[in-house]
Amino acid sequence: MSNPLPIIPETTLARVLVVGDVMLDRYWFGEVSRISPEAPVPVVHVQRSEERPGGAANVARNAAALGAKVSLLAVVGNDEPASALEQLLSDDGVNARLHRDPSLSTTIKLRVLGRQQQLLRIDFENLPAHEVLRDKLVEFRALLPEHDVVVLSDYGKGGLLHVQEMIDLARAAGKIVLVDPKGDDYSRYRGASLLTPNRSELRQVVGQWRNEEDLVARAQGLRSELALEALLVTRSEEGMSLFRAEGTVHEGTRAQEVFDVSGAGDTVIATLAVMLAAKSDLVDAMRLSNHAAGIVVAKLGTATVTLKEMQGS
């Protein structure tokens, strides 16, 4: 039996700064009625397409959907997908500060779907120039005073090359810093307020645990080693676990139906950021973010959750 949901705070007071790797998620929907004569693959007759902000941009739009004032700082190419991203983010009410790098192609994840099933994903990407990233750091410093919570959304695309410097600057300014980590070396996130790895990402860093007791020991060891206030591990059908110096709090999953988990981690960290910026305590913020994740996994692709949905379900 799930605990009753905490009261949702006044989210319009929340000011969230999101920094990280942005991408454009493109979806081609079509019908599949035959196999290609050229190769043993389905032929998709594309009938409609959709575009949505992905990566850190999806975190930003999720925070904005909950009523927060949101700024997004990222590097993109000087190309059509960047313009599409800017327009989508503007429509979602996000203050997007996208630095254009002419040598960069804006990251695109193109998904081809037939009968609501993903058949293929094609990625277009390369890494941003060092000079553009340095410029972003200057703007990051300038934006800090206007925000309560900083979210660093790392998708391993090079946009967070200076992540340790960003954490140090934000913490020195008294800001809460949440990090969605990537890779197997978390030392670069040392001193953040909280990290939100999923189960498999944590396993890459601490190794395979034998049981729940072993997981707690490994997670608390990592939290202590990196000087984090907390570690929030999302565990798919097992819900999520919050590891703090005071102990561990576990919240079972609230998902009624799982249709698509892509972007669920973005929803979790965005909800967490908004609730903390609106002065929820950490445990309440975790429970609300778990609730939001349970709603978003019933939707297709990178999606958002509104306050109305959170209050009504």
Side-chain angles (χ1 to χ4, degrees), residues 119-197:
L119 303 174
L120 179 68
R121 193 180 97 184
I122 306 166
D123 292 2
F124 305 85
E125 64 190 39
N126 60 6
L127 299 179
H130 190 77
E131 296 74 26
V132 184
L133 293 173
R134 180 53 63 182
D135 290 345
K136 190 170 76 165
L137 200 55
V138 172
E139 190 168 5
F140 176 77
R141 196 189 297 261
L143 286 169
L144 273 178
E146 302 167 26
H147 299 87
D148 311 301
V149 173
V150 176
V151 177
L152 301 174
S153 181
D154 195 348
Y155 271 78
K157 311 296 182 193
L160 285 178
L161 196 65
H162 306 295
V163 67
Q164 185 66 70
E165 210 168 333
M166 288 180 172
I167 291 170
D168 293 344
L169 285 168
R171 296 300 279 153
K175 308 300 178 184
I176 297 169
V177 181
L178 310 181
V179 181
D180 191 356
K182 203 71 174 176
D184 57 7
D185 178 14
Y186 283 8
S187 62
R188 56 205 294 263
Y189 309 124
R190 185 181 307 282
S193 308
L194 179 142
L195 262 58
T196 61

Side-chain angles (χ1 to χ4, degrees), residues 6 64 76 91 123 131 133 154 158 201 288 301 307:
V76 292
D91 293 346
D123 292 2
E131 296 74 26
L133 293 173
D154 195 348
E201 287 167 341
L288 290 166
L307 283 177

Side-chain angles (χ1 to χ4, degrees), residues 13-66:
L13 302 176
R15 302 175 306 164
V16 177
L17 172 59
V18 181
V19 188
D21 300 307
V22 299
M23 54 199 74
L24 183 64
D25 284 340
R26 285 192 158 141
Y27 298 85
W28 289 357
F29 299 91
E31 288 298 318
V32 178
S33 58
R34 63 194 179 98
I35 299 299
S36 169
E38 302 159 14
V41 293
V43 175
V44 183
H45 177 211
V46 175
Q47 295 174 321
R48 69 183 176 91
S49 61
E50 274 184 35
E51 293 183 337
R52 299 178 194 175
N58 188 43
V59 176
R61 71 192 279 257
N62 265 271
L66 292 171

